[in-house]
């Protein structure tokens, strides 16, 4: 190796820097005779390690509900990656946001494949995926009058008001 002797013995564990390396092994017997063999190897950068912390895979939400997205993105060589290289996407809604965490209440109805990805300075990408379901919201009914427990007299007119709303 260009780094000099790496060690002695039959088994050796080392960490080499990125790049191409030629590793030599020399065996010497008790009479001083030697045999040398070599192997060419390449030490490459690893892609970022990414993990989706929330929402959970298979989580079910309802239309209009706030969903919290949180993930971690660590590159083995660079450490924590900056928010601008971290992207959340949905196969239905496209890019949702950038960074480790955000929240939204604007997911479209349907089953989303959510991808959390990060790219390191060498262009390697790490990805994690989950599936979440966003169901249609339910209609909501509200009575404005009469009030709970209100008393009315027989034969008198009563006014009833209320409304129903639906997010669809």
């Amino acid at each position: 190796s260009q780094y000099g002797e790496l060690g002695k013995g039959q088994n050796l564990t080392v960490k080499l820097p990125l790049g191409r390396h030629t590793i030599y092994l020399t065996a010497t017997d008790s009479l001083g005779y030697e045999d040398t063999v070599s192997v060419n190897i390449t030490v490459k950068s690893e892609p970022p390690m990414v993990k989706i912390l929330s929402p959970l895979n298979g989580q079910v939400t309802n239309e209009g509900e706030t969903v919290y997205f949180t993930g971690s993105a660590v590159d083995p060589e660079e450490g924590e990656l900056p928010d601008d290289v971290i992207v959340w996407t949905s196969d239905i809604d496209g890019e949702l946001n950038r960074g480790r965490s955000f929240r939204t209440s604007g997911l479209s109805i349907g089953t989303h494949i959510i991808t959390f990805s990060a790219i390191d300075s060498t262009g390697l990408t790490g990805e994690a995926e989950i599936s979440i379901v966003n169901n249609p919201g339910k209609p909501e009914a509200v009575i404005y009058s009469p009030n709970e427990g209100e008393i009315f007299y027989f034969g008198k007119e009563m006014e009833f008001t209320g409304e129903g709303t639906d997010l669809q």
Side-chain angles (χ1 to χ4, degrees), residues 11-47:
N11 296 312
L12 184 63
T13 302
V14 297
K15 289 185 180 180
L16 293 173
L18 298 174
R20 297 183 66 167
H21 303 275
T22 301
I23 306 299
Y24 299 94
L25 172 65
T26 301
T28 306
D29 68 13
S30 62
L31 298 175
Y33 294 109
E34 294 183 346
D35 185 28
T36 300
V37 293
S38 66
V39 63
N40 293 309
I41 64 166
T42 302
V43 178
K44 293 179 113 182
S45 180
E46 286 187 73

PDB file of all heavy atoms in Angstrom, residues 11-47:
ATOM      1  N   ASN A  11      -4.305 -12.242   9.902  1.00  0.00           N
ATOM      2  CA  ASN A  11      -5.527 -11.443   9.853  1.00  0.00           C
ATOM      3  C   ASN A  11      -5.199 -10.012  10.251  1.00  0.00           C
ATOM      4  O   ASN A  11      -4.475  -9.785  11.222  1.00  0.00           O
ATOM      5  CB  ASN A  11      -6.576 -12.003  10.815  1.00  0.00           C
ATOM      6  CG  ASN A  11      -7.015 -13.394  10.424  1.00  0.00           C
ATOM      7  OD1 ASN A  11      -7.332 -13.636   9.267  1.00  0.00           O
ATOM      8  ND2 ASN A  11      -7.015 -14.307  11.377  1.00  0.00           N
ATOM      9  N   LEU A  12      -5.768  -9.070   9.513  1.00  0.00           N
ATOM     10  CA  LEU A  12      -5.486  -7.665   9.758  1.00  0.00           C
ATOM     11  C   LEU A  12      -6.743  -6.866   9.451  1.00  0.00           C
ATOM     12  O   LEU A  12      -7.395  -7.096   8.426  1.00  0.00           O
ATOM     13  CB  LEU A  12      -4.329  -7.220   8.850  1.00  0.00           C
ATOM     14  CG  LEU A  12      -3.812  -5.808   9.001  1.00  0.00           C
ATOM     15  CD1 LEU A  12      -3.228  -5.604  10.396  1.00  0.00           C
ATOM     16  CD2 LEU A  12      -2.748  -5.537   7.949  1.00  0.00           C
ATOM     17  N   THR A  13      -7.091  -5.953  10.321  1.00  0.00           N
ATOM     18  CA  THR A  13      -8.242  -5.078  10.107  1.00  0.00           C
ATOM     19  C   THR A  13      -7.736  -3.646  10.063  1.00  0.00           C
ATOM     20  O   THR A  13      -7.074  -3.193  11.000  1.00  0.00           O
ATOM     21  CB  THR A  13      -9.270  -5.239  11.241  1.00  0.00           C
ATOM     22  OG1 THR A  13      -9.675  -6.609  11.304  1.00  0.00           O
ATOM     23  CG2 THR A  13     -10.477  -4.362  11.002  1.00  0.00           C
ATOM     24  N   VAL A  14      -8.032  -2.940   8.967  1.00  0.00           N
ATOM     25  CA  VAL A  14      -7.591  -1.553   8.802  1.00  0.00           C
ATOM     26  C   VAL A  14      -8.715  -0.734   8.173  1.00  0.00           C
ATOM     27  O   VAL A  14      -9.649  -1.288   7.586  1.00  0.00           O
ATOM     28  CB  VAL A  14      -6.328  -1.439   7.906  1.00  0.00           C
ATOM     29  CG1 VAL A  14      -5.144  -2.135   8.534  1.00  0.00           C
ATOM     30  CG2 VAL A  14      -6.595  -1.964   6.518  1.00  0.00           C
ATOM     31  N   LYS A  15      -8.604   0.583   8.291  1.00  0.00           N
ATOM     32  CA  LYS A  15      -9.489   1.509   7.588  1.00  0.00           C
ATOM     33  C   LYS A  15      -8.626   2.310   6.632  1.00  0.00           C
ATOM     34  O   LYS A  15      -7.667   2.953   7.058  1.00  0.00           O
ATOM     35  CB  LYS A  15     -10.190   2.443   8.564  1.00  0.00           C
ATOM     36  CG  LYS A  15     -11.238   1.777   9.401  1.00  0.00           C
ATOM     37  CD  LYS A  15     -11.962   2.795  10.257  1.00  0.00           C
ATOM     38  CE  LYS A  15     -13.018   2.115  11.098  1.00  0.00           C
ATOM     39  NZ  LYS A  15     -13.741   3.070  11.936  1.00  0.00           N
ATOM     40  N   LEU A  16      -8.957   2.248   5.353  1.00  0.00           N
ATOM     41  CA  LEU A  16      -8.201   2.975   4.340  1.00  0.00           C
ATOM     42  C   LEU A  16      -9.016   4.164   3.844  1.00  0.00           C
ATOM     43  O   LEU A  16     -10.252   4.128   3.854  1.00  0.00           O
ATOM     44  CB  LEU A  16      -7.875   2.056   3.160  1.00  0.00           C
ATOM     45  CG  LEU A  16      -6.901   0.914   3.448  1.00  0.00           C
ATOM     46  CD1 LEU A  16      -6.811  -0.003   2.238  1.00  0.00           C
ATOM     47  CD2 LEU A  16      -5.533   1.452   3.817  1.00  0.00           C
ATOM     48  N   PRO A  17      -8.359   5.213   3.387  1.00  0.00           N
ATOM     49  CA  PRO A  17      -9.085   6.360   2.837  1.00  0.00           C
ATOM     50  C   PRO A  17      -9.733   6.012   1.499  1.00  0.00           C
ATOM     51  O   PRO A  17      -9.437   4.989   0.886  1.00  0.00           O
ATOM     52  CB  PRO A  17      -7.999   7.425   2.683  1.00  0.00           C
ATOM     53  CG  PRO A  17      -6.714   6.691   2.656  1.00  0.00           C
ATOM     54  CD  PRO A  17      -6.917   5.418   3.414  1.00  0.00           C
ATOM     55  N   LEU A  18     -10.611   6.917   1.037  1.00  0.00           N
ATOM     56  CA  LEU A  18     -11.269   6.731  -0.248  1.00  0.00           C
ATOM     57  C   LEU A  18     -10.246   6.664  -1.363  1.00  0.00           C
ATOM     58  O   LEU A  18      -9.200   7.298  -1.299  1.00  0.00           O
ATOM     59  CB  LEU A  18     -12.230   7.894  -0.514  1.00  0.00           C
ATOM     60  CG  LEU A  18     -13.387   8.070   0.458  1.00  0.00           C
ATOM     61  CD1 LEU A  18     -14.157   9.350   0.136  1.00  0.00           C
ATOM     62  CD2 LEU A  18     -14.316   6.883   0.431  1.00  0.00           C
ATOM     63  N   GLY A  19     -10.541   5.878  -2.376  1.00  0.00           N
ATOM     64  CA  GLY A  19      -9.677   5.804  -3.548  1.00  0.00           C
ATOM     65  C   GLY A  19      -9.271   4.383  -3.889  1.00  0.00           C
ATOM     66  O   GLY A  19      -9.718   3.421  -3.271  1.00  0.00           O
ATOM     67  N   ARG A  20      -8.377   4.272  -4.885  1.00  0.00           N
ATOM     68  CA  ARG A  20      -7.882   2.970  -5.326  1.00  0.00           C
ATOM     69  C   ARG A  20      -6.618   2.637  -4.556  1.00  0.00           C
ATOM     70  O   ARG A  20      -5.782   3.508  -4.304  1.00  0.00           O
ATOM     71  CB  ARG A  20      -7.603   3.005  -6.816  1.00  0.00           C
ATOM     72  CG  ARG A  20      -8.894   3.255  -7.613  1.00  0.00           C
ATOM     73  CD  ARG A  20      -8.617   3.219  -9.064  1.00  0.00           C
ATOM     74  NE  ARG A  20      -8.237   1.827  -9.352  1.00  0.00           N
ATOM     75  CZ  ARG A  20      -8.144   1.312 -10.547  1.00  0.00           C
ATOM     76  NH1 ARG A  20      -8.371   2.057 -11.598  1.00  0.00           N
ATOM     77  NH2 ARG A  20      -7.806   0.045 -10.728  1.00  0.00           N
ATOM     78  N   HIS A  21      -6.479   1.371  -4.199  1.00  0.00           N
ATOM     79  CA  HIS A  21      -5.319   0.912  -3.438  1.00  0.00           C
ATOM     80  C   HIS A  21      -4.847  -0.428  -3.986  1.00  0.00           C
ATOM     81  O   HIS A  21      -5.653  -1.248  -4.416  1.00  0.00           O
ATOM     82  CB  HIS A  21      -5.683   0.716  -1.953  1.00  0.00           C
ATOM     83  CG  HIS A  21      -6.222   1.939  -1.305  1.00  0.00           C
ATOM     84  ND1 HIS A  21      -5.416   2.912  -0.768  1.00  0.00           N
ATOM     85  CD2 HIS A  21      -7.508   2.361  -1.101  1.00  0.00           C
ATOM     86  CE1 HIS A  21      -6.169   3.871  -0.250  1.00  0.00           C
ATOM     87  NE2 HIS A  21      -7.440   3.557  -0.446  1.00  0.00           N
ATOM     88  N   THR A  22      -3.526  -0.639  -3.960  1.00  0.00           N
ATOM     89  CA  THR A  22      -2.951  -1.938  -4.247  1.00  0.00           C
ATOM     90  C   THR A  22      -2.426  -2.476  -2.924  1.00  0.00           C
ATOM     91  O   THR A  22      -1.609  -1.828  -2.261  1.00  0.00           O
ATOM     92  CB  THR A  22      -1.807  -1.847  -5.272  1.00  0.00           C
ATOM     93  OG1 THR A  22      -2.327  -1.269  -6.476  1.00  0.00           O
ATOM     94  CG2 THR A  22      -1.238  -3.222  -5.578  1.00  0.00           C
ATOM     95  N   ILE A  23      -2.935  -3.624  -2.522  1.00  0.00           N
ATOM     96  CA  ILE A  23      -2.553  -4.242  -1.258  1.00  0.00           C
ATOM     97  C   ILE A  23      -1.602  -5.398  -1.562  1.00  0.00           C
ATOM     98  O   ILE A  23      -1.895  -6.252  -2.406  1.00  0.00           O
ATOM     99  CB  ILE A  23      -3.799  -4.769  -0.508  1.00  0.00           C
ATOM    100  CG1 ILE A  23      -4.850  -3.668  -0.332  1.00  0.00           C
ATOM    101  CG2 ILE A  23      -3.401  -5.388   0.828  1.00  0.00           C
ATOM    102  CD1 ILE A  23      -4.401  -2.476   0.470  1.00  0.00           C
ATOM    103  N   TYR A  24      -0.463  -5.402  -0.877  1.00  0.00           N
ATOM    104  CA  TYR A  24       0.547  -6.445  -1.071  1.00  0.00           C
ATOM    105  C   TYR A  24       0.627  -7.318   0.176  1.00  0.00           C
ATOM    106  O   TYR A  24       0.542  -6.812   1.292  1.00  0.00           O
ATOM    107  CB  TYR A  24       1.932  -5.825  -1.313  1.00  0.00           C
ATOM    108  CG  TYR A  24       1.993  -4.950  -2.543  1.00  0.00           C
ATOM    109  CD1 TYR A  24       1.789  -3.574  -2.455  1.00  0.00           C
ATOM    110  CD2 TYR A  24       2.249  -5.504  -3.792  1.00  0.00           C
ATOM    111  CE1 TYR A  24       1.843  -2.777  -3.577  1.00  0.00           C
ATOM    112  CE2 TYR A  24       2.299  -4.706  -4.925  1.00  0.00           C
ATOM    113  CZ  TYR A  24       2.094  -3.339  -4.808  1.00  0.00           C
ATOM    114  OH  TYR A  24       2.146  -2.553  -5.924  1.00  0.00           O
ATOM    115  N   LEU A  25       0.801  -8.617  -0.042  1.00  0.00           N
ATOM    116  CA  LEU A  25       1.049  -9.554   1.045  1.00  0.00           C
ATOM    117  C   LEU A  25       2.353 -10.278   0.726  1.00  0.00           C
ATOM    118  O   LEU A  25       2.512 -10.854  -0.351  1.00  0.00           O
ATOM    119  CB  LEU A  25      -0.082 -10.579   1.168  1.00  0.00           C
ATOM    120  CG  LEU A  25       0.179 -11.727   2.156  1.00  0.00           C
ATOM    121  CD1 LEU A  25       0.271 -11.200   3.576  1.00  0.00           C
ATOM    122  CD2 LEU A  25      -0.873 -12.797   2.021  1.00  0.00           C
ATOM    123  N   THR A  26       3.276 -10.217   1.678  1.00  0.00           N
ATOM    124  CA  THR A  26       4.554 -10.902   1.509  1.00  0.00           C
ATOM    125  C   THR A  26       4.667 -11.975   2.580  1.00  0.00           C
ATOM    126  O   THR A  26       4.495 -11.686   3.771  1.00  0.00           O
ATOM    127  CB  THR A  26       5.731  -9.915   1.637  1.00  0.00           C
ATOM    128  OG1 THR A  26       5.581  -8.908   0.637  1.00  0.00           O
ATOM    129  CG2 THR A  26       7.060 -10.626   1.451  1.00  0.00           C
ATOM    130  N   ALA A  27       4.930 -13.197   2.145  1.00  0.00           N
ATOM    131  CA  ALA A  27       5.151 -14.316   3.063  1.00  0.00           C
ATOM    132  C   ALA A  27       6.638 -14.644   3.041  1.00  0.00           C
ATOM    133  O   ALA A  27       7.235 -14.786   1.968  1.00  0.00           O
ATOM    134  CB  ALA A  27       4.323 -15.518   2.648  1.00  0.00           C
ATOM    135  N   THR A  28       7.231 -14.754   4.230  1.00  0.00           N
ATOM    136  CA  THR A  28       8.666 -15.064   4.338  1.00  0.00           C
ATOM    137  C   THR A  28       8.818 -16.303   5.198  1.00  0.00           C
ATOM    138  O   THR A  28       8.257 -16.379   6.295  1.00  0.00           O
ATOM    139  CB  THR A  28       9.417 -13.887   4.992  1.00  0.00           C
ATOM    140  OG1 THR A  28       9.118 -12.690   4.264  1.00  0.00           O
ATOM    141  CG2 THR A  28      10.914 -14.126   4.988  1.00  0.00           C
ATOM    142  N   ASP A  29       9.597 -17.288   4.691  1.00  0.00           N
ATOM    143  CA  ASP A  29       9.814 -18.500   5.496  1.00  0.00           C
ATOM    144  C   ASP A  29      11.042 -18.333   6.381  1.00  0.00           C
ATOM    145  O   ASP A  29      11.724 -17.297   6.353  1.00  0.00           O
ATOM    146  CB  ASP A  29       9.889 -19.745   4.610  1.00  0.00           C
ATOM    147  CG  ASP A  29      11.127 -19.797   3.721  1.00  0.00           C
ATOM    148  OD1 ASP A  29      12.074 -19.014   3.928  1.00  0.00           O
ATOM    149  OD2 ASP A  29      11.149 -20.653   2.816  1.00  0.00           O
ATOM    150  N   SER A  30      11.330 -19.357   7.165  1.00  0.00           N
ATOM    151  CA  SER A  30      12.434 -19.294   8.132  1.00  0.00           C
ATOM    152  C   SER A  30      13.805 -19.220   7.459  1.00  0.00           C
ATOM    153  O   SER A  30      14.794 -18.831   8.098  1.00  0.00           O
ATOM    154  CB  SER A  30      12.370 -20.489   9.088  1.00  0.00           C
ATOM    155  OG  SER A  30      12.509 -21.697   8.339  1.00  0.00           O
ATOM    156  N   LEU A  31      13.890 -19.540   6.176  1.00  0.00           N
ATOM    157  CA  LEU A  31      15.166 -19.462   5.453  1.00  0.00           C
ATOM    158  C   LEU A  31      15.339 -18.116   4.752  1.00  0.00           C
ATOM    159  O   LEU A  31      16.353 -17.867   4.103  1.00  0.00           O
ATOM    160  CB  LEU A  31      15.277 -20.599   4.434  1.00  0.00           C
ATOM    161  CG  LEU A  31      15.258 -22.022   5.021  1.00  0.00           C
ATOM    162  CD1 LEU A  31      15.242 -23.049   3.909  1.00  0.00           C
ATOM    163  CD2 LEU A  31      16.453 -22.229   5.943  1.00  0.00           C
ATOM    164  N   GLY A  32      14.305 -17.258   4.834  1.00  0.00           N
ATOM    165  CA  GLY A  32      14.399 -15.943   4.215  1.00  0.00           C
ATOM    166  C   GLY A  32      13.825 -15.860   2.823  1.00  0.00           C
ATOM    167  O   GLY A  32      13.902 -14.819   2.184  1.00  0.00           O
ATOM    168  N   TYR A  33      13.269 -16.982   2.306  1.00  0.00           N
ATOM    169  CA  TYR A  33      12.644 -16.934   0.990  1.00  0.00           C
ATOM    170  C   TYR A  33      11.291 -16.217   1.104  1.00  0.00           C
ATOM    171  O   TYR A  33      10.565 -16.392   2.080  1.00  0.00           O
ATOM    172  CB  TYR A  33      12.452 -18.341   0.418  1.00  0.00           C
ATOM    173  CG  TYR A  33      13.766 -19.038   0.126  1.00  0.00           C
ATOM    174  CD1 TYR A  33      14.185 -20.109   0.907  1.00  0.00           C
ATOM    175  CD2 TYR A  33      14.570 -18.616  -0.924  1.00  0.00           C
ATOM    176  CE1 TYR A  33      15.387 -20.755   0.655  1.00  0.00           C
ATOM    177  CE2 TYR A  33      15.778 -19.252  -1.185  1.00  0.00           C
ATOM    178  CZ  TYR A  33      16.181 -20.313  -0.393  1.00  0.00           C
ATOM    179  OH  TYR A  33      17.362 -20.929  -0.647  1.00  0.00           O
ATOM    180  N   GLU A  34      10.983 -15.410   0.057  1.00  0.00           N
ATOM    181  CA  GLU A  34       9.748 -14.612   0.086  1.00  0.00           C
ATOM    182  C   GLU A  34       8.878 -14.894  -1.133  1.00  0.00           C
ATOM    183  O   GLU A  34       9.385 -15.253  -2.197  1.00  0.00           O
ATOM    184  CB  GLU A  34      10.071 -13.114   0.079  1.00  0.00           C
ATOM    185  CG  GLU A  34      10.763 -12.609   1.307  1.00  0.00           C
ATOM    186  CD  GLU A  34      10.990 -11.102   1.260  1.00  0.00           C
ATOM    187  OE1 GLU A  34      10.846 -10.483   0.181  1.00  0.00           O
ATOM    188  OE2 GLU A  34      11.313 -10.572   2.305  1.00  0.00           O
ATOM    189  N   ASP A  35       7.599 -14.677  -0.958  1.00  0.00           N
ATOM    190  CA  ASP A  35       6.648 -14.672  -2.076  1.00  0.00           C
ATOM    191  C   ASP A  35       5.713 -13.498  -1.822  1.00  0.00           C
ATOM    192  O   ASP A  35       5.222 -13.304  -0.701  1.00  0.00           O
ATOM    193  CB  ASP A  35       5.860 -15.982  -2.154  1.00  0.00           C
ATOM    194  CG  ASP A  35       4.946 -16.027  -3.383  1.00  0.00           C
ATOM    195  OD1 ASP A  35       5.289 -15.366  -4.412  1.00  0.00           O
ATOM    196  OD2 ASP A  35       3.902 -16.688  -3.320  1.00  0.00           O
ATOM    197  N   THR A  36       5.460 -12.684  -2.845  1.00  0.00           N
ATOM    198  CA  THR A  36       4.597 -11.511  -2.711  1.00  0.00           C
ATOM    199  C   THR A  36       3.463 -11.616  -3.713  1.00  0.00           C
ATOM    200  O   THR A  36       3.682 -11.941  -4.892  1.00  0.00           O
ATOM    201  CB  THR A  36       5.398 -10.214  -2.960  1.00  0.00           C
ATOM    202  OG1 THR A  36       6.457 -10.142  -2.007  1.00  0.00           O
ATOM    203  CG2 THR A  36       4.513  -8.995  -2.812  1.00  0.00           C
ATOM    204  N   VAL A  37       2.257 -11.340  -3.249  1.00  0.00           N
ATOM    205  CA  VAL A  37       1.064 -11.280  -4.103  1.00  0.00           C
ATOM    206  C   VAL A  37       0.392  -9.934  -3.845  1.00  0.00           C
ATOM    207  O   VAL A  37       0.631  -9.298  -2.818  1.00  0.00           O
ATOM    208  CB  VAL A  37       0.081 -12.443  -3.834  1.00  0.00           C
ATOM    209  CG1 VAL A  37       0.688 -13.770  -4.257  1.00  0.00           C
ATOM    210  CG2 VAL A  37      -0.362 -12.483  -2.404  1.00  0.00           C
ATOM    211  N   SER A  38      -0.447  -9.507  -4.775  1.00  0.00           N
ATOM    212  CA  SER A  38      -1.133  -8.217  -4.600  1.00  0.00           C
ATOM    213  C   SER A  38      -2.576  -8.315  -5.075  1.00  0.00           C
ATOM    214  O   SER A  38      -2.933  -9.199  -5.842  1.00  0.00           O
ATOM    215  CB  SER A  38      -0.409  -7.109  -5.361  1.00  0.00           C
ATOM    216  OG  SER A  38      -0.480  -7.325  -6.755  1.00  0.00           O
ATOM    217  N   VAL A  39      -3.361  -7.387  -4.604  1.00  0.00           N
ATOM    218  CA  VAL A  39      -4.753  -7.266  -5.012  1.00  0.00           C
ATOM    219  C   VAL A  39      -5.076  -5.771  -5.096  1.00  0.00           C
ATOM    220  O   VAL A  39      -4.624  -4.984  -4.263  1.00  0.00           O
ATOM    221  CB  VAL A  39      -5.709  -8.012  -4.042  1.00  0.00           C
ATOM    222  CG1 VAL A  39      -5.665  -7.422  -2.657  1.00  0.00           C
ATOM    223  CG2 VAL A  39      -7.128  -8.018  -4.563  1.00  0.00           C
ATOM    224  N   ASN A  40      -5.814  -5.383  -6.144  1.00  0.00           N
ATOM    225  CA  ASN A  40      -6.255  -3.995  -6.305  1.00  0.00           C
ATOM    226  C   ASN A  40      -7.667  -3.861  -5.749  1.00  0.00           C
ATOM    227  O   ASN A  40      -8.545  -4.670  -6.062  1.00  0.00           O
ATOM    228  CB  ASN A  40      -6.234  -3.581  -7.773  1.00  0.00           C
ATOM    229  CG  ASN A  40      -4.832  -3.515  -8.318  1.00  0.00           C
ATOM    230  OD1 ASN A  40      -3.967  -2.880  -7.729  1.00  0.00           O
ATOM    231  ND2 ASN A  40      -4.591  -4.180  -9.435  1.00  0.00           N
ATOM    232  N   ILE A  41      -7.873  -2.845  -4.940  1.00  0.00           N
ATOM    233  CA  ILE A  41      -9.200  -2.604  -4.359  1.00  0.00           C
ATOM    234  C   ILE A  41      -9.550  -1.131  -4.501  1.00  0.00           C
ATOM    235  O   ILE A  41      -8.672  -0.289  -4.719  1.00  0.00           O
ATOM    236  CB  ILE A  41      -9.271  -3.017  -2.871  1.00  0.00           C
ATOM    237  CG1 ILE A  41      -8.340  -2.157  -2.021  1.00  0.00           C
ATOM    238  CG2 ILE A  41      -8.988  -4.488  -2.695  1.00  0.00           C
ATOM    239  CD1 ILE A  41      -8.597  -2.282  -0.533  1.00  0.00           C
ATOM    240  N   THR A  42     -10.819  -0.830  -4.363  1.00  0.00           N
ATOM    241  CA  THR A  42     -11.283   0.554  -4.371  1.00  0.00           C
ATOM    242  C   THR A  42     -12.118   0.769  -3.116  1.00  0.00           C
ATOM    243  O   THR A  42     -13.014  -0.020  -2.801  1.00  0.00           O
ATOM    244  CB  THR A  42     -12.144   0.843  -5.616  1.00  0.00           C
ATOM    245  OG1 THR A  42     -11.363   0.565  -6.781  1.00  0.00           O
ATOM    246  CG2 THR A  42     -12.608   2.285  -5.642  1.00  0.00           C
ATOM    247  N   VAL A  43     -11.828   1.833  -2.402  1.00  0.00           N
ATOM    248  CA  VAL A  43     -12.618   2.224  -1.236  1.00  0.00           C
ATOM    249  C   VAL A  43     -13.515   3.365  -1.693  1.00  0.00           C
ATOM    250  O   VAL A  43     -13.035   4.422  -2.110  1.00  0.00           O
ATOM    251  CB  VAL A  43     -11.721   2.669  -0.057  1.00  0.00           C
ATOM    252  CG1 VAL A  43     -12.577   3.121   1.116  1.00  0.00           C
ATOM    253  CG2 VAL A  43     -10.783   1.538   0.357  1.00  0.00           C
ATOM    254  N   LYS A  44     -14.826   3.114  -1.669  1.00  0.00           N
ATOM    255  CA  LYS A  44     -15.806   4.090  -2.142  1.00  0.00           C
ATOM    256  C   LYS A  44     -16.541   4.727  -0.979  1.00  0.00           C
ATOM    257  O   LYS A  44     -16.618   4.174   0.108  1.00  0.00           O
ATOM    258  CB  LYS A  44     -16.821   3.409  -3.061  1.00  0.00           C
ATOM    259  CG  LYS A  44     -16.256   2.906  -4.361  1.00  0.00           C
ATOM    260  CD  LYS A  44     -17.316   2.240  -5.162  1.00  0.00           C
ATOM    261  CE  LYS A  44     -17.579   3.067  -6.386  1.00  0.00           C
ATOM    262  NZ  LYS A  44     -18.643   2.538  -7.218  1.00  0.00           N
ATOM    263  N   SER A  45     -17.132   5.856  -1.253  1.00  0.00           N
ATOM    264  CA  SER A  45     -17.970   6.554  -0.296  1.00  0.00           C
ATOM    265  C   SER A  45     -19.296   5.799  -0.170  1.00  0.00           C
ATOM    266  O   SER A  45     -19.824   5.296  -1.157  1.00  0.00           O
ATOM    267  CB  SER A  45     -18.219   7.976  -0.790  1.00  0.00           C
ATOM    268  OG  SER A  45     -19.023   8.684   0.095  1.00  0.00           O
ATOM    269  N   GLU A  46     -19.835   5.742   1.038  1.00  0.00           N
ATOM    270  CA  GLU A  46     -21.152   5.131   1.243  1.00  0.00           C
ATOM    271  C   GLU A  46     -22.231   6.185   1.054  1.00  0.00           C
ATOM    272  O   GLU A  46     -22.015   7.360   1.349  1.00  0.00           O
ATOM    273  CB  GLU A  46     -21.269   4.584   2.668  1.00  0.00           C
ATOM    274  CG  GLU A  46     -20.499   3.316   2.908  1.00  0.00           C
ATOM    275  CD  GLU A  46     -20.808   2.759   4.287  1.00  0.00           C
ATOM    276  OE1 GLU A  46     -21.923   2.232   4.468  1.00  0.00           O
ATOM    277  OE2 GLU A  46     -19.949   2.871   5.166  1.00  0.00           O
ATOM    278  N   PRO A  47     -23.410   5.776   0.598  1.00  0.00           N
ATOM    279  CA  PRO A  47     -24.510   6.739   0.479  1.00  0.00           C
ATOM    280  C   PRO A  47     -25.014   7.131   1.864  1.00  0.00           C
ATOM    281  O   PRO A  47     -24.752   6.446   2.858  1.00  0.00           O
ATOM    282  CB  PRO A  47     -25.577   5.967  -0.302  1.00  0.00           C
ATOM    283  CG  PRO A  47     -25.267   4.535  -0.067  1.00  0.00           C
ATOM    284  CD  PRO A  47     -23.782   4.449   0.130  1.00  0.00           C
TER     285      PRO A  47
END
